């Protein structure tokens, strides 16, 4: 086949194609073959594809063209059809150094001159030469052309990919910065110019050794290494200031690398500027990078190096701390400094320590060692014995320690003896020492070694001592110590002569400043048990059995007020008169004004045991015996007011051992008068027998105490008696008088008024006369009719008594004159109490019998004359006056039933029910003369049988003679006696 070059301007192709055994024709007339094809761009591409282009073999006709010009001419021809995607394998890419390459073999880059200089080794084979004509350049810049043929501009990723052909990826690389070959200083700068201008992430280049390291302390030695970018092992710029030279030596020993390379923001993670912050940071990073403890990391440093390091930190500290760094950043560097073992110590074991592991003496604190040598610390607990209290060095140390700010003085020091006393003879705790400026301390501790030395009595030192417990002013804690001092002095073999006076000063101080002391409950409990309060002995006859027979010091808990002497002298000491607590103190501490119940009970037993049963002669005369009886009564009275549970819990235990604690009689030395609680019966007037005794008068008021001790009681039932208004009778009289005044009198015409009204003396005012057992009592029908319905009916019924002109005479033989006169006075409007008070009772008469006889007589009159209001009033008086007793309840019940006093009847019935057993015991023993054994058998029967026995007894009472005077002398018939004695 023959290829025909149609255009004469392309005849130069013939020489090139001829090299590939292609027949070329330049004119159709010259060609005699049958098959002819025109030379086209595609045909040329196919001929050249994957074949070596040999420019040197071209004929002489092309010898006038350069190598690149021939390449460009070929490119221009093969690109005429714009088949840009059909160039693969065509060796027409013009590269540097008058060379060419095939499309598609690799990626080719369109670069500028500066970029081509960065890659002298690899660049010529991939960088497109820029000698092309403009039209060819425009084609190469087309996006579709570049995409089809893997050609493009040099970007950062491509830069990173091809840099490895110039510089190997390794942590370090030996180099000569002044060498003519790369890498050298000029080339390195150009590389960094390109990288930094690209504003890229330097992590792309972290595996390339792109950073030069220097040795600044020996500038004649040329640095021979490049190192890779590593933020975990950064570089630092060396200082230009010669003053930092020692620190540079320190860092070089630690393996820190220096550089004088350029400053740029992206390089900051890899190259640090020289300052304290970055020096500390790079040390911290390098220590973590090597993964060893800080102490081991600094092992290469000697003492001089550590001193240089410490001086560098101190000199630059103020500049750095004033920059106002973010707190988080500050903390980061504080943590590094805390780990640096560059700080000298007083230790014999470790010359240098880190702040984290060592202790910094506070500013102003003097170092002190009892052994006068360096030591780790002053062990105040074990080395205290080596301290001489008079050592001036030790005093300077103590003064410097106590002058520190209060928050820097450890509170634990209050436990140790380390403060010299006033005489420099002993080391003591701060809380054991006192400021002599306080008056109370001067009085109590005079002559002791418990005052401060003069050097410690001033300024900040005192404040430090106060924090550790120095007694400078009197507060609750120091006052307790003062009280304890008084107690300790009293225990000495020879106490001070003025100890009691000192004690009185302390107690009076407490009373005066009790509010300011503001004792807590715990402090008061402690103070109340300290023996520092003076007591005084009691006078005879109490002294012989007294708890305290001489003046001594006691605690508040033990002492009692003089007002309680009679109920406690055998169990408690008594306050001295000079230290009696006033009312204000007793309000603050109520227990000082109280006495414990066990003390009173034990005191009662002590009196019984040591005075009564011991038969002490000093108490046996009449006056002393009366005093003793008074004392015992005061004890009973006090115990009677104690809360039941408090009294019962302790008394019950004591009663089991000795139950006879009650003096039920006049003579305390008569054994018969001492009885147990269960032998006593309240509300009876006479003893039943020796085991059932009536409570004597003074003891009866201690009913509550007696009940706790199991005394029995004749109980009064609870019943509400309706009581009329005491003025209701007066109101009734006033109304009746008004009604009667309105009525017209009925006069008898056959007699003159003169005959009807003529009387002698006072009798002319009376128109009715009552003959009461021979005693004439005059009255007025008008008033009586106004006062009682009974008399109104009597005087208006048309009978003899209703004749107004004749006086009326009435005989009364069933009511006594005294009772009848009381009734008339009440009808006239007098109060019942006033009417009763006008009756005189003889001294020999029993009060209960006297009044009960009058009240029963009045009940009879009330029933007779229908005076219901007076009857209710009398019922109330009988019940409330406590006139119902065991010896009369059955009789009163009969009288109440007889006179229709039903409220009184119900009360007696309930009384009988409440006290059934006692009534049987009392009445049977009284009337039937039954002995104690028979009574015991009787009381063992069923309650119903007891009730029946009493009912039978009441029936027998009805069979007795009706005369009240003979009731107690009558004989009980044989049948009743036989029945009631079972």
């Amino acid at each position: 086949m023959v290829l025909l070059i149609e255009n004469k301007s392309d005849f130069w192709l013939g020489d090139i194609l001829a090299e590939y055994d292609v027949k070329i024709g330049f004119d159709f007339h010259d060609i005699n073959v049958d098959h002819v094809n025109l030379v086209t761009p595609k045909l040329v591409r196919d001929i050249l594809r994957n074949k070596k282009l040999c420019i040197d073999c071209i004929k002489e006709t092309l010898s006038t063209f350069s190598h690149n010009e021939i390449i460009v001419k070929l490119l221009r021809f093969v690109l005429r059809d714009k088949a840009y995607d059909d160039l693969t394998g065509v060796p027409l890419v013009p590269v540097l150094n008058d060379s060419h390459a095939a499309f598609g073999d690799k990626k080719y880059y369109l670069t500028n001159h500066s970029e081509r200089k960065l890659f002298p080794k690899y660049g010529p084979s991939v960088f497109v030469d820029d000698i092309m004509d403009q039209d060819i350049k425009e084609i190469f810049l087309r996006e579709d052309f570049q995409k089809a043929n893997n050609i493009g501009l040099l970007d950062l990723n491509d830069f990173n990919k091809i840099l490895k052909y110039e510089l190997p990826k390794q942590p370090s690389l030996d180099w000569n910065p002044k060498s003519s070959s790369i890498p050298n200083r000029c080339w390195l700068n150009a590389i960094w110019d390109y990288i930094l201008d690209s504003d890229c992430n330097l992590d792309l280049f972290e595996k390339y050794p792109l950073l030069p390291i220097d040795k600044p302390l020996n500038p004649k030695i040329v640095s021979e290494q490049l190192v890779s970018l590593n933020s975990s092992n950064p570089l630092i710029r060396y200082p230009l200031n010669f003053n930092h030279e020692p620190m540079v030596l320190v860092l070089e020993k630690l393996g820190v690398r220096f550089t004088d390379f350029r400053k740029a923001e992206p390089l900051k993670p890899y190259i640090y500027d020289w300052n304290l912050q970055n020096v500390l940071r790079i040390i911290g990073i390098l220590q973590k990078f090597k993964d060893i403890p800080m102490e081991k990391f600094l092992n290469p440093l000697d003492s001089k190096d550590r001193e240089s390091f410490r001086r560098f930190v101190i000199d630059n500290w103020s500049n750095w701390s004033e920059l106002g760094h973010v707190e988080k950043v500050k903390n980061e560097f504080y943590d590094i400094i805390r780990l640096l073992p560059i700080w000298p110590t007083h230790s014999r074991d470790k010359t240098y320590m880190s702040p984290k592991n060592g202790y910094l003496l506070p500013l102003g604190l003097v170092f002190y060692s009892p052994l006068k040598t360096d030591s780790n610390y002053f062990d105040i607990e074990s080395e205290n014995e080596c301290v001489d209290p008079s050592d001036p060095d030790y005093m300077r140390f103590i003064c410097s320690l106590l002058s520190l700010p209060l928050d820097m003085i450890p509170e634990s020091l209050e436990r140790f003896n380390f403060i010299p006393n006033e005489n420099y003879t002993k080391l003591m705790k701060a809380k054991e020492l006192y400021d002599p400026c306080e008056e109370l301390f001067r009085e109590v501790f005079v002559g002791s070694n418990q005052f401060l030395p003069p050097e410690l009595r001033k300024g900040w030192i005192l404040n430090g001592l106060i924090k550790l417990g120095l007694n400078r002013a009197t507060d609750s804690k120091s006052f307790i110590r003062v009280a304890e001092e008084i107690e300790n002095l009293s225990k000495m073999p020879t106490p001070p002569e003025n100890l009691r006076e000192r004690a009185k000063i302390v107690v009076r101080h407490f009373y005066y400043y009790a509010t300011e002391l503001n004792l807590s409950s715990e402090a008061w409990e402690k103070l109340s048990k300290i023996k520092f309060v003076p007591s005084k002995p009691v006078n005879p006859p109490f002294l012989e059995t007294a708890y305290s027979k001489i003046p001594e010091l006691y605690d508040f808990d033990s002492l009692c007020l003089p007002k309680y002497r009679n109920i406690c002298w055998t169990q408690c000491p008594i306050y001295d008169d000079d230290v009696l607590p006033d009312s204000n103190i007793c309000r603050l501490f109520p227990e000082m004004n109280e006495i414990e119940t066990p003390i009173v009970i034990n005191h009662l037993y002590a009196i019984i045991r040591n005075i009564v049963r011991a038969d002490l002669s000093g108490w046996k005369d009449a006056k002393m015996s009366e005093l003793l009886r008074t004392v015992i009564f005061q004890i009973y009275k006090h115990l009677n007011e104690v809360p039941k549970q408090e009294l019962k819990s302790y008394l019950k235990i004591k009663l089991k051992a000795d139950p006879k604690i009650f003096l039920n009689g006049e003579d305390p030395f008569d054994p018969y008068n001492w009885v147990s609680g269960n032998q006593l019966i309240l509300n009876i007037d006479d003893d039943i027998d020796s085991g059932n005794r009536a409570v004597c008068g003074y003891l009866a008021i201690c009913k509550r105490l007696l009940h706790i001790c199991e005394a029995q009681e004749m109980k009064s039932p609870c019943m509400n008696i309706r009581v009329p208004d005491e003025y209701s009778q007066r109101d009734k009289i006033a109304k009746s008088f008004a009604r009667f005044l309105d009525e017209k009198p009925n006069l008898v015409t056959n007699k003159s008024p003169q005959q009807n009204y003529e009387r002698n003396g006072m009798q002319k005012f009376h128109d009715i006369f009552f003959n009461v057992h021979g005693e004439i009592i005059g009255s007025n029908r008008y008033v009586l009719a106004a006062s009682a319905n009974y008399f109104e009916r009597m005087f208006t019924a048309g009978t003899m008594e209703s004749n107004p002109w004749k006086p009326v005479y009435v005989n009364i033989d069933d009511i006594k004159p005294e009772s009848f006169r009381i009734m008339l006075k009440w009808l006239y409007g007098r109060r019942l109490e006033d009417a009763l008070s006008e009756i005189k009772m003889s001294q020999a008469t029993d009060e209960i019998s006297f009044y009960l006889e009058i009240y029963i007589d009045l009940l009879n009159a009330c029933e007779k004359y229908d005076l219901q209001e007076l009857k209710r009033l009398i019922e109330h008086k009988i019940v409330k006056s406590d006139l119902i007793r065991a010896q009369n309840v059955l009789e009163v019940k009969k009288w109440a039933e007889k006179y229709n006093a039903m409220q009184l009847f119900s009360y007696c019935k309930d009384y009988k029910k409440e006290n059934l057993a006692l009534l049987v015991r009392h009445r049977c023993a009284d009337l039937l003369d039954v002995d104690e054994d028979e009574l015991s058998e009787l009381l063992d029967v069923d309650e119903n049988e007891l009730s029946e026995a009493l009912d039978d007894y009441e029936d027998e009472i009805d069979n007795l003679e009706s005369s009240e005077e003979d009731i107690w002398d009558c004989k009980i018939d044989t049948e009743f006696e036989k029945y009631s004695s079972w």
Side-chain angles (χ1 to χ4, degrees):
M1 180 179 292
V2 178
L3 299 179
L4 179 63
I5 299 175
E6 185 177 12
N7 198 336
K8 289 183 178 182
S9 61
D10 297 329
F11 284 173
W12 56 271
L13 279 172
D15 294 335
I16 295 174
L17 295 177
E19 295 297 324
Y20 295 94
D21 298 328
V22 176
K23 294 181 178 181
I24 302 297
F26 299 97
D27 191 351
F28 285 104
H29 300 288
D30 296 334
I31 300 173
N32 297 318
V33 295
D34 296 332
H35 299 286
V36 177
N37 284 332
L38 291 177
V39 176
T40 62
K42 178 172 176 49
L43 183 62
V44 174
R45 291 194 297 270
D46 291 340
I47 292 172
L48 297 178
R49 197 183 311 274
N50 299 322
K51 295 182 177 65
K52 184 178 180 182
L53 180 63
C54 184
I55 300 300
D56 296 335
C57 299
I58 297 175
K59 295 182 178 181
E60 290 296 328
T61 55
L62 295 177
S63 60
T64 58
F65 295 100
S66 67
H67 178 277
N68 283 337
E69 288 176 336
I70 293 174
I71 294 299
V72 169
K73 289 176 72 67
L74 283 171
L75 272 175
R76 186 176 287 114
F77 182 81
V78 299
L79 294 176
R80 284 179 184 175
D81 59 357
K82 298 182 179 180
Y84 303 143
D85 56 353
D86 191 35
L87 293 175
T88 303
V90 178
L92 292 179
V93 179
V95 294
L96 301 181
N97 299 333
D98 290 335
S99 183
H100 58 277
F103 284 98
D105 282 357
K106 61 185 74 173
K107 185 173 182 178
Y108 299 96
Y109 303 97
L110 301 174
T111 59
N112 55 37
H113 177 71
S114 61
E115 292 172 338
R116 288 195 290 272
K117 287 176 64 178
L118 298 177
F119 300 93
K121 297 177 182 178
Y122 184 69
S125 64
V126 294
F127 291 165
V128 178
D129 201 336
D130 61 352
I131 62 171
M132 296 182 296
D133 294 339
Q134 186 63 32
D135 58 336
I136 300 300
K137 284 184 179 180
E138 290 177 356
I139 293 174
F140 268 70
L141 290 173
R142 288 175 62 96
E143 184 177 353
D144 55 347
F145 179 83
Q146 292 180 359
K147 186 176 181 180
N149 297 285
N150 198 18
I151 294 176
L153 297 174
L154 183 65
D155 60 17
L156 197 61
N157 288 327
D158 296 325
F159 184 93
N160 180 45
K161 289 179 182 178
I162 64 176
L163 182 60
K164 65 184 178 181
Y165 298 105
E166 306 293 335
L167 189 68
K169 291 184 176 181
Q170 58 190 50
S172 63
L173 176 69
D174 293 339
W175 79 313
N176 184 352
K178 297 181 180 180
S179 172
S180 58
S181 62
I182 61 170
N184 56 41
R185 177 74 69 182
C186 182
W187 176 83
L188 186 64
N189 288 335
I191 288 291
W192 276 109
D193 287 340
Y194 181 87
I195 293 173
L196 295 176
D197 289 343
S198 302
D199 193 21
C200 64
N201 188 346
L202 296 187
D203 290 347
L204 290 171
F205 305 97
E206 63 180 3
K207 294 184 179 180
Y208 290 105
L210 290 172
L211 296 177
I213 59 173
D214 301 323
K215 293 184 179 295
L217 295 183
N218 192 358
K220 295 181 180 179
I221 299 177
V222 178
S223 72
E224 299 177 346
Q225 272 195 332
L226 292 173
V227 294
S228 61
L229 283 74
N230 187 352
S231 59
S232 298
N233 188 11
L235 311 180
I236 190 169
R237 292 186 177 83
Y238 62 86
L240 298 178
N241 189 342
F242 183 76
N243 291 336
H244 293 129
E245 181 179 329
M247 189 59 196
V248 174
L249 285 172
V250 170
L251 296 178
E252 283 186 341
K253 286 186 178 182
L254 296 177
V256 177
R257 299 172 300 178
F258 291 85
T259 185
D260 62 352
F261 198 55
R262 68 175 67 187
K263 291 184 179 182
E265 188 68 26
L267 286 173
K268 283 188 175 181
Y270 310 100
I271 302 176
Y272 290 172
D273 291 335
W274 180 268
N275 55 47
L276 173 60
Q277 174 182 347
N278 286 335
V279 168
L280 295 176
R281 177 181 285 165
I282 204 167
I283 286 177
I285 293 173
L286 192 58
Q287 180 252 335
K288 290 181 180 178
F289 179 74
K290 292 185 178 182
D291 194 22
I292 57 176
M294 184 65 77
E295 188 168 349
K296 187 175 181 181
F297 177 68
L298 264 63
N299 273 347
L301 303 183
D302 56 21
S303 297
K304 184 178 179 181
D305 294 331
R306 294 174 192 260
E307 176 62 30
S308 298
F309 197 163
R310 186 174 68 259
R311 177 51 52 194
F312 172 75
V313 172
I314 294 172
D315 291 344
N316 290 274
W317 183 261
S318 59
N319 296 333
W320 176 73
S321 61
E322 292 173 0
L323 295 179
H325 293 286
V326 179
E327 194 66 26
K328 181 179 180 182
V329 176
K330 277 191 174 182
N331 291 336
E332 174 189 349
F333 300 119
Y334 290 160
D335 290 342
I336 295 173
I337 290 177
R338 291 188 187 103
L339 296 174
L340 294 175
I342 60 174
W343 309 97
T345 70
H346 291 283
S347 170
R348 294 188 297 267
D349 302 328
K350 285 192 174 183
T351 310
Y352 294 91
M353 293 187 72
S354 65
K356 181 179 180 181
N357 297 322
Y359 297 92
L360 183 66
L361 285 177
L363 183 64
L365 180 62
V366 176
F367 175 76
Y368 174 77
S369 172
L371 304 177
K372 307 298 182 180
T373 60
D374 279 346
S375 61
N376 289 346
Y377 50 82
F378 170 24
D379 189 342
I380 197 171
E381 191 166 8
S382 62
E383 297 180 349
N384 213 19
E385 298 177 357
C386 304
V387 176
D388 178 6
S390 62
D391 182 2
D393 291 338
Y394 182 72
M395 181 58 70
R396 282 192 292 272
F397 165 68
I398 291 299
C399 290
S400 67
L401 171 63
L402 297 174
S403 298
L404 294 174
L406 294 181
D407 58 347
M408 297 183 67
I409 301 175
E411 293 182 358
S412 57
L413 287 176
E414 66 184 13
R415 298 185 290 110
F416 298 106
N417 298 315
F418 75 103
I419 307 295
N421 62 2
E422 186 177 28
N423 298 331
Y424 307 101
T425 58
K426 184 180 180 182
L427 295 179
M428 304 179 69
K429 298 182 180 69
K431 67 181 181 180
E432 295 173 343
L433 291 168
Y434 297 84
D435 187 348
C437 296
E438 174 67 29
E439 182 180 2
L440 179 65
F441 300 155
R442 286 201 311 272
E443 295 287 348
V444 174
F445 295 98
V446 59
S448 72
N449 290 325
Q450 293 180 257
F451 291 122
L452 281 175
E455 296 94 326
L456 303 181
R457 298 179 189 175
K458 55 189 176 182
W460 294 104
I461 298 176
L462 270 179
N463 293 336
L465 285 167
I466 291 170
K467 177 181 178 178
L468 298 179
L470 170 70
N471 301 282
R472 188 185 186 191
T474 308
D475 58 12
S476 60
K477 291 182 179 179
S478 63
F479 185 82
I480 288 175
R481 296 189 192 109
V482 168
E484 290 172 337
E485 177 67 13
I486 295 294
E487 182 180 35
N488 294 335
L489 290 173
S490 69
K491 295 178 181 178
M492 294 174 61
T494 308
E497 293 181 0
N498 65 343
L499 179 60
R500 280 184 65 82
E501 294 307 315
R502 294 191 202 182
K504 289 179 181 180
I505 291 172
V506 175
V507 176
R508 285 196 289 263
H509 183 95
F510 171 66
Y511 291 164
Y512 192 80
Y513 294 103
T515 304
E516 289 81 356
L517 290 176
N518 193 24
L519 293 175
S520 65
S521 57
E522 183 179 354
W524 166 243
E525 183 179 358
K526 184 176 182 180
L527 179 65
S528 64
K529 291 178 172 55
I530 300 174
K531 296 181 178 181
F532 73 104
V533 186
S535 69
K536 71 170 184 179
V538 293
N539 297 324
F542 305 102
L543 185 60
E544 186 177 356
T545 55
Y547 178 86
S548 175
K549 295 180 173 58
I550 59 174
E552 291 184 282
L553 300 182
Y554 289 96
D555 54 86
F556 282 125
D557 279 355
S558 300
L559 287 161
C560 279
L561 295 174
K563 67 179 182 179
Y564 293 127
R565 181 201 63 183
N566 286 0
I567 63 173
C568 72
W569 84 78
T570 66
Q571 305 298 310
C572 300
I574 307 300
Y575 281 96
D576 189 284
D577 292 338
D578 292 338
V579 292
L580 287 176
D582 57 23
S583 57
N584 292 329
I585 292 297
C586 291
R587 277 196 298 271
L588 287 174
F589 307 101
E591 54 269 39
M592 296 178 70
N593 195 33
E594 298 171 354
I595 185 169
E596 295 180 0
T597 301
I599 290 176
V600 181
I601 295 174
N602 291 336
H603 177 62
L604 173 61
Y605 275 95
I607 290 174
I608 296 172
R609 180 178 61 254
N610 300 328
I611 296 179
V612 176
R613 293 176 184 168
D615 205 27
L616 286 184
S617 58
W619 290 89
K620 297 197 69 173
D621 63 70
K623 186 176 180 181
M624 290 296 100
S625 181
E626 177 63 26
L627 174 61
L628 181 60
R629 187 166 60 252
T630 302
V631 166
I632 294 171
F633 172 68
Q634 289 176 353
I635 295 173
Y636 295 152
K637 187 176 179 182
H638 177 85
L639 293 176
N640 191 62
E641 297 171 357
V642 174
K644 180 177 179 180
Q645 194 58 39
E646 178 185 345
L647 177 62
K648 190 173 182 180
S649 58
Y650 186 77
L651 187 57
K652 187 176 181 180
I653 299 172
K654 302 291 288 185
L655 289 174
K656 286 183 179 179
D658 189 355
K660 292 188 176 184
I661 64 170
F662 291 106
L663 176 60
N664 195 47
E666 295 294 323
D667 184 5
F669 292 95
D670 183 354
Y672 181 78
N673 289 338
W674 288 93
V675 296
S676 62
N678 57 15
Q679 289 180 267
L680 296 173
I681 302 176
L682 288 159
N683 296 335
I684 65 172
D685 299 315
D686 301 309
D687 294 348
I688 298 174
D689 51 48
S690 60
N692 296 276
R693 310 268 287 277
V695 178
C696 66
Y698 79 91
L699 191 57
I701 66 171
C702 301
K703 182 182 292 187
R704 190 163 164 274
L705 174 63
L706 291 169
H707 281 159
I708 292 173
C709 296
E710 300 180 355
Q712 303 176 78
E713 180 183 8
M714 196 70 75
K715 298 178 182 179
S716 299
C718 295
M719 183 174 180
N720 293 323
I721 304 293
R722 289 188 297 119
V723 183
D725 185 358
E726 58 184 83
Y727 295 103
S728 61
Q729 182 63 19
R730 299 180 186 181
D731 296 339
K732 184 175 181 181
I733 292 172
K735 292 178 182 179
S736 299
F737 276 155
R739 180 165 56 84
F740 292 164
L741 289 173
D742 292 337
E743 293 182 0
K744 302 296 183 181
N746 297 320
L747 298 177
V748 180
T749 58
N750 58 350
K751 291 187 179 181
S752 65
Q754 183 67 26
Q755 292 177 316
N756 290 303
Y757 287 102
E758 184 176 355
R759 298 287 185 274
N760 295 323
M762 292 300 294
Q763 292 184 358
K764 64 183 177 180
F765 300 106
H766 295 162
D767 59 1
I768 183 170
F769 298 91
F770 298 95
N771 183 2
V772 184
H773 285 285
E775 184 176 336
I776 304 300
I777 301 174
S779 183
N780 189 280
R781 282 179 286 179
Y782 194 77
V783 175
L784 295 179
S787 302
N789 294 333
Y790 175 88
F791 289 111
E792 181 183 354
R793 292 193 301 271
M794 177 181 177
F795 300 143
T796 59
T799 61
M800 177 182 63
E801 290 84 355
S802 61
N803 187 348
W805 309 115
K806 290 181 65 176
V808 177
Y809 295 91
V810 180
N811 292 322
I812 305 295
D813 56 5
D814 56 352
I815 302 175
K816 293 182 180 180
E818 293 84 357
S819 303
F820 194 80
R821 188 170 281 106
I822 291 172
M823 181 194 74
L824 289 180
K825 289 180 179 180
W826 183 81
L827 288 174
Y828 271 65
R830 195 78 183 274
R831 293 176 70 249
L832 181 60
E833 291 82 353
D834 295 337
L836 285 169
S837 66
E838 296 173 355
I839 301 176
K840 294 182 179 180
M841 179 179 65
S842 63
Q843 293 182 354
T845 305
D846 175 56
E847 184 177 352
I848 293 178
S849 300
F850 176 76
Y851 283 106
L852 189 59
E853 183 177 352
I854 292 175
Y855 285 140
I856 296 301
D857 210 20
L858 285 172
L859 285 178
N860 180 22
C862 291
E863 181 65 16
K864 181 175 182 179
Y865 298 117
D866 194 20
L867 302 177
Q868 298 303 317
E869 292 186 9
L870 179 59
K871 181 188 292 185
R872 287 196 297 272
L873 190 59
I874 292 169
E875 288 178 305
H876 180 266
K877 290 292 183 182
I878 292 173
V879 171
K880 295 305 179 184
S881 300
D882 203 19
L883 300 178
I884 305 298
R885 316 294 285 183
Q887 65 267 29
N888 61 34
V889 62
L890 301 180
E891 290 75 12
V892 173
K893 177 171 172 284
K894 292 298 181 181
W895 287 325
E897 184 178 16
K898 178 178 180 181
Y899 300 131
N900 206 24
M902 301 315 294
Q903 289 187 108
L904 181 60
F905 176 80
S906 298
Y907 179 84
C908 294
K909 188 175 180 180
D910 292 343
Y911 188 100
K912 168 188 166 185
K913 184 177 180 181
E914 287 279 347
N915 306 283
L916 190 58
L918 288 174
L919 279 173
V920 171
R921 180 189 293 125
H922 187 279
R923 299 308 293 266
C924 288
D926 187 20
L927 295 177
L928 306 179
D929 196 20
V930 178
D931 61 29
E932 291 190 12
D933 293 338
E934 291 176 317
L935 269 179
S936 299
E937 294 177 4
L938 182 61
L939 292 178
D940 288 336
V941 301
D942 184 72
E943 184 176 331
N944 293 329
E945 294 180 358
L946 290 177
S947 181
E948 290 175 5
L950 277 181
D951 290 340
D952 291 342
Y953 174 65
E954 292 183 56
D955 292 340
E956 289 298 327
I957 291 176
D958 292 339
N959 296 329
L960 300 178
E961 294 182 8
S962 59
S963 173
E964 295 174 10
E965 292 81 0
D966 298 332
I967 285 178
W968 305 109
D969 297 328
C970 70
K971 299 296 184 180
I972 301 177
D973 61 24
T974 306
E975 184 178 354
F976 174 71
E977 186 178 32
K978 179 181 179 182
Y979 175 76
S980 59
S981 63
W982 43 260

